[in-house]
Amino acid sequence: MSGRLAGERFREVVLPHLPDALSLARWLTGNAHDAEDVVQEACLKAHAGIGTYAGGNARAWLLTIVRHAAYTWLAKNRPRNLVAVGGLSDLDELAPQPDAANTPEAALLEKADANALQVAIAALPLAFREVVVLRDVNGLGYREIAQMLDVPIGTVMSRLARGRGTLILELGKGQ
């Protein structure tokens, strides 16, 4: 593939999904500066491999590259942490309660809730965090996530349920 065609294809396939790539990298690395480094490396890899992109879900293709780049970066730049996954007790289903009031106080509470959610997601074990972010933040399907992570779809569903359950427990502590 010529350089010009590769550049055009890169712009069509990769550039529309850069915000999602940066978001995923930020969640995996823990900060925006490191995420920018990871996305830059992922873009270099995506550009080099754009000729092998066979079509399909471009977003999932790019996020897979970002995920691999993030783990490579983390292995080089951060100490490895042992992640132990224990069994969580059964959780009651908590339905979100819509806020009917449209007041400054309600807006402040909503902002505080969003900040608490971001902190709680960041505190999740990495295996849970990446599935929660890929599904609930980036909106990828279970099959796409399973392919990205190279795990069975049941593992994705289990990690998502445990991640969400942990979030519910953590966010419920403040109430």
Side-chain angles (χ1 to χ4, degrees):
M1 179 179 283
S2 75
R4 181 178 165 206
L5 288 175
E8 288 177 15
R9 190 154 193 210
F10 180 84
R11 283 189 289 281
E12 291 173 8
V13 172
V14 174
L15 293 184
H17 306 293
L18 281 181
D20 291 334
L22 190 58
S23 174
L24 176 60
R26 191 184 83 240
W27 283 111
L28 294 177
T29 62
N31 69 61
H33 183 268
D34 295 341
E36 290 170 357
D37 291 344
V38 166
V39 171
Q40 182 177 6
E41 181 65 28
C43 284
L44 290 172
K45 289 179 181 183
H47 190 273
I50 197 70
T52 64
Y53 173 66
N57 188 337
R59 188 163 157 234
W61 179 75
L62 177 62
L63 292 180
T64 300
I65 295 170
V66 169
R67 179 179 176 268
H68 289 293
Y71 285 127
T72 300
W73 186 92
L74 287 169
K76 289 179 184 175
N77 296 292
R78 301 255 176 93
R80 291 191 173 186
N81 294 331
L82 177 64
V83 177
V85 180
L88 296 176
S89 60
D90 294 335
L91 300 172
D92 295 331
E93 291 295 319
L94 297 176
Q97 301 296 320
D99 187 15
N102 191 12
T103 64
E105 292 84 4
L108 183 61
L109 285 174
E110 186 176 314
K111 184 176 180 182
D113 289 345
N115 289 338
L117 179 60
Q118 285 184 350
V119 169
I121 290 173
L124 285 174
L126 189 57
F128 296 163
R129 182 178 24 177
E130 73 180 348
V131 173
V132 168
V133 169
L134 289 170
R135 176 71 181 148
D136 294 337
V137 176
N138 290 319
L140 293 177
Y142 295 116
R143 282 191 178 92
E144 293 170 321
I145 296 169
Q147 288 173 345
M148 283 180 68
L149 305 182
D150 195 28
V151 297
I153 197 166
T155 301
V156 171
M157 296 168 76
S158 174
R159 288 179 183 175
L160 184 61
R162 288 176 178 233
R164 286 175 176 169
T166 302
L167 288 175
I168 290 169
L169 288 174
E170 188 60 35
L171 294 172
K173 287 180 182 176
Q175 296 181 358

